[in-house]
Amino acid sequence: MDFLQEENVCGQTILKLVSRGNAIIAELLRLSEFIPPDFKLETKEERERYQWILPDFVYFQGPELYENKIDGSPDLQDRDEECKENHIEILTRFYKVFESIHKYITDLNRFLDDLEDGVYIQQTLETVLLNEDGKQLLSESLYLYGVMLLITDMKIEGPVRERMLVSFHRYSAHTSVDSNIDDICKLLRSTGYQKTPVVKRPPKYPEDYFSRIPISQNFIEMVIGRLRSDDIYNQISAYPNPEHRSTALATQAAMLYVILYFSPNTLHHQQAQMREVVDKHFPDNWVISMYMGITVNLCEAWEPYRAATIALNNTLQLGNVKHQAEKNFQKIPHLKKELDEYLKEGTLVEDYVLDSISKLMSRLRECNTVIRWVILHTAPVADHHRRCKQIRDDILACQYSPRQLFVLLLNTAQFEFILKEMFKKLLEEKQIKWEAYQKEGYERMTELGEVFSGTKPLTRVEKNEHLQAWFTEMSSQITGLSYDDSTSAGRKITQLIQALEEVQEFHQLEANLQVKQFLEDTKRYLTQMLRTINIKEETLYTLELVADLSYAWILIDSYTVYMQEGIKKVPLLVIKLRATFLKMSSALDLPCQRIDQAHSADLKSVSAYYSRELVGYVRKVLQIIPETMFTVLHQIIAILTNRMKEVPTRLEKEKMKEFAQLDDRYEVAKLTHDISVFTEGILMMKVTLVGIIPVDPKRLLEDGIRKELVKQVMAILHHTLIFNPKAKTSELVPKLMSLSEGLNGFKRSFEYIQDYVDIYGLKIWQEEVSRIINYNVEQECNSFLRIKVQDWQSIYQSQTIPIPCYYPVDSTSVNFIGRLAREILRVTDTRWTSYIDQMNAWYDKRTSQEVVNLKLWEHLKNAVDIFGLSALDRLLCFMIVTELQLFIKYLTRQLYPLPQFAKEFKAFAVSLGNPTLLLSGDTVRLYSSIAQRFSKLWGPYLHHVMKIGQIQLIRRQIARELQRSCKFDSKLLCNAMDTLNQSLLSSIEAHYRDPSNPYPGEDNAVLFELTPYLETAGTNNPLSKIYVTATVMKDFALTNFLFIISQLSKLTYNKSVGSMLAKKQTDPLDGPPFVAGCITLLRQFHSDNTGLCLAYLGQYIRCNVDSQFVASKEKPQDLSQESVNALCFLEEFIHYSQMPRRSIEKHIPTYLFDDFKHQQQA
């Protein structure tokens, strides 16, 4: 029974284990890119912030200490809860992969025990190691475990692993039941290894790390012995040249390197064994690829081991190093010249390839061997090690030219690609062609038989029965050749060709040209049959084996600069690079082969990961095309923006020359042609399957253009929107105008060149600018959220077209959208500006100069478009939510718990009684005394109210600008949304009047889907929005009333502006934001609170008017200042909240409002 058959339990068990090992490594590499920054603790501030929340394994020495410390601090509790909510998902995934490593080695040990105990009938460790597949899988199982441990330590540093495991243990309650977290922690605790070259390698690393879970020493020694003596993958047959032996054994050499760490005794003391290992695997190389391009320099890696170092010294002798370098460098120009000849048009035709396959394969082996040696040994691997650097310097001194190597790599890849495609085609058509040649040969022999029979006339051919019988027999011999028995058919064909040559010679048939032609044709067809039958799949397998480039999976990046330089000079070079990318995709066979053999469900995810990595590299190389294109585009932008004049609708004949600007237009046309040439090469590429991902060149170009556009637009936004908070005059409008000019020039030029590169320029522009702004708003809003949106969770961020993140330029804002919002808030700050509603403008309190007017919002729209205005509005909403949350926290934690406040507040509430009734006694003194006693408590309250009111007024202006733009630019859309909105509101109102009418329930998404459209179109009232869900506070209405009357005394009604202004310029108080803030606060609570607060204000006004009448013997001519301020507050309250006047007139007589209006107009 075959070892890998499904019925073979032993073979399937170890195959599935090895398959799982490859999948675990892929998951480790994938997750290593998503380590949460908080767990790295790279800065002093982060270490101080998270030292109690994210401890390493020190936590297990005294968990109570840490838990008590967190429980005793509300700030630490909030931070801990935030950390849990943000990271539990990714921590769970990391834990699962850590658990998989432990389970892998546990299952391997169990398999070895079962093998020893005879669980697998007729199978022992020795018999498995004698089997071809068995020895491969057993060696791979141990090798992959070592690779897992090394990659874990390399990609996820020890302290970070410990913090992750501790955090997962703390945050996941279920880990305490049936969990092996203790064993996982023992296996993956920090080793002391660090990637930084300045930190020395820990002593006994990695052998102590590898020995944390014991593995059968007998198994390790037998695997090492098998790798030492055998060619377990039979690869020497693919490299018949003895000089190429180390390349043929490179795969098992990497395995041996890793597995030897499980047997440190061999590395330290077994000189004979190590000499044998080095002589066989490392006689001419010392830099190896451990796994998927992760390179190791044996000079540095084996330095602590005496036997290994002594054995390697022969290879590392200066004479040998220079000899190997010179030998390989000298081959490069010769091989390049030969490949140039082969790649000439018309050279690699089918007949030539079939006749010269041995020679071509020999050249291919030579090219790949040289490329492998040079790429590995010229790379800066372990350059921090003095001897390694010295050896590398000696190699580079031997006239090394990286450009020549790059050209050789390019030509080799193209050569391989042509041969592969040709052999694939030949294999597909093999039987069809063989049968066609067989038929042609048979027909020629049959016809010749008929000719010599005398029945078929042919010029000057006499009847010959012997030849007739011979040719008839030959035709039957050709017909009898069997395609399935290639060996026998090959021998017979050779004999038939020889027989034809003999009959031509002995019977003197050369004299008749027609007979001779028939014989030559038959020999040619038989020769083609012989060639065709010799086309074997083994040739294609050898070709793929020789072409392996997995060792350069990482190092190839060092040749990116040469690829990009070549593309800039010759854009059509992209077509040749396609072959190089396909050559790189062969590296996917290494991790995916066993997963495919095991029919594992992991195949899709593993191959998708490596394919995405490769496609990412392809994009990186080809990104030079969009980069160069945008460099030229900047020149076009400069001409179109600064030099080209816009042609008017009507133009006088005399001015035609002035507006023609022929030189400028010629320059623009020339630059546009340059752009189209750059994109021509990539558009000529065919759709290519890279791994399992099809790469469409047009999509590749579009994505590259999008990426470069995002990069450049983001740079403009970031660098332009930086404000100086100490500037005497605001930089806001000049910066917005500068941004508008820059982006509009960019947009116009982008639209101009779109047809020349075959893209939808305006669509790309709108999609990417919208994505940039939405992503930056999302990241800015993270500072207001407990559960933050990570980059990998964001719907706006993309790995293909990433939005760059810049380091914050100040301590308050994350990016440009935050700086823009805070600059608007700064210039409209209520401490030094007053808002005049009739003018929709803010004025400086001190100079009465206009600070912000309606033009600002127009500049904003021109600069950041509708996307920016809408995003700014969303950010301001988050700011309001934060202020409201802080306000509620202030009420519940600071104001209400104060004993003095609670006592006097209760007494005042009793004194006021029912707000619908008029109070008796000296009510004015009662109000003033309570306002005076509480005056020092309202500072934070006032700050929150004014901040919220200021933001709400800004949101109103943004909504107006959005609505105006919508009505001008999308009239039909605006009307359609308005109609739908009104009909929905009517339906809801009808439902509340009569519950039998339909109502859009939770399963109907129309309300949720319509709201973003309405907000983007400005069809909303920010002051009517409910931002937070507040807890019930029965005394809030009275609290708010007390706050209002305490602040009204600081305001005065100004007839010229028709609003309230602060009496003192130094007071951080202004009428409209004060009113807007109070409205917003009341909207967050039950509507009864608003009614009750208005009732208290009505009672306050009635009492003031009553006391004014009582105190005066004659009827007062004017209302008191207190009454005027209160009535003005209510007037503005109605205006901003859009409440009906009757809701106020329930509490205040109509004549008082009439008197107030009369007093206003006087």
Side-chain angles (χ1 to χ4, degrees), residues 79-93:
R79 207 174 298 156
D80 190 42
E81 194 62 31
E82 181 182 322
C83 192
K84 176 183 175 180
E85 290 171 351
N86 281 307
H87 301 310
I88 188 62
E89 184 183 345
I90 194 73
L91 286 176
T92 303
R93 197 160 168 188

Side-chain angles (χ1 to χ4, degrees), residues 440-455:
E440 290 288 340
Y442 163 74
E443 288 176 353
R444 294 290 189 285
M445 291 294 97
T446 304
E447 285 182 31
L448 279 176
E450 290 174 357
V451 166
F452 284 103
S453 69
T455 57

Side-chain angles (χ1 to χ4, degrees), residues 209 247 279 426:
Y209 182 30
T247 306
D279 287 348
L426 287 170

Side-chain angles (χ1 to χ4, degrees), residues 870-994:
S870 181
L872 193 61
D873 185 58
R874 197 159 73 251
L875 176 58
L876 292 172
C877 281
F878 273 92
M879 290 181 171
I880 291 172
V881 170
T882 304
E883 287 296 330
L884 286 167
Q885 289 170 342
L886 292 171
F887 169 75
I888 292 168
K889 191 182 287 186
Y890 160 73
L891 278 185
T892 54
R893 294 188 183 180
Q894 295 182 38
L895 187 62
Y896 286 156
L898 283 173
Q900 180 190 357
F901 178 83
K903 181 180 177 182
E904 296 194 13
F905 181 82
K906 188 175 180 181
F908 182 65
V910 172
S911 302
L912 290 181
N914 189 341
T916 59
L917 302 176
L918 195 64
L919 296 178
S920 59
D922 193 353
T923 53
V924 176
R925 185 175 293 177
L926 173 66
Y927 284 121
S928 61
S929 65
I930 197 74
Q932 192 175 0
R933 282 201 291 272
F934 290 162
S935 60
K936 293 182 181 179
L937 302 176
W938 299 123
Y941 201 124
L942 178 64
H943 170 77
H944 293 306
V945 168
M946 296 305 293
K947 192 76 172 177
I948 292 166
Q950 179 194 3
I951 297 172
Q952 287 286 45
L953 292 176
I954 293 170
R955 286 200 65 214
R956 284 179 84 233
Q957 298 298 329
I958 290 173
R960 282 177 184 171
E961 183 61 32
L962 287 170
Q963 193 170 35
R964 186 185 69 82
S965 298
C966 188
K967 284 179 177 177
F968 274 103
D969 300 334
S970 309
K971 188 177 180 180
L972 291 175
L973 175 65
C974 184
N975 291 337
M977 285 194 299
D978 191 48
T979 305
L980 179 58
N981 186 37
Q982 293 299 329
S983 64
L984 279 170
L985 290 173
S986 300
S987 298
I988 293 168
E989 288 171 5
H991 170 76
Y992 277 104
R993 285 195 300 269
D994 181 3

Side-chain angles (χ1 to χ4, degrees), residues 765-817:
W765 173 272
Q766 290 178 337
E767 287 177 353
E768 295 308 318
V769 172
S770 167
R771 196 167 66 89
I772 289 168
I773 289 172
N774 284 319
Y775 170 74
N776 280 278
V777 168
E778 185 180 74
Q779 295 306 302
E780 188 70 44
C781 291
N782 269 346
S783 57
F784 304 113
L785 296 173
R786 179 189 287 273
I787 303 175
K788 304 186 188 308
V789 181
Q790 307 296 336
D791 257 20
W792 55 275
Q793 295 171 317
S794 173
I795 60 171
Y796 304 112
Q797 186 59 286
S798 162
Q799 284 188 328
T800 306
I801 311 161
I803 299 171
C805 296
Y806 289 92
Y807 196 77
V809 298
D810 57 50
S811 58
T812 54
S813 302
V814 177
N815 52 52
F816 72 87
I817 201 79

Side-chain angles (χ1 to χ4, degrees), residues 301 306 347 358 673 689:
R306 186 170 179 273
T347 303
S358 177
H673 174 260
L689 192 69

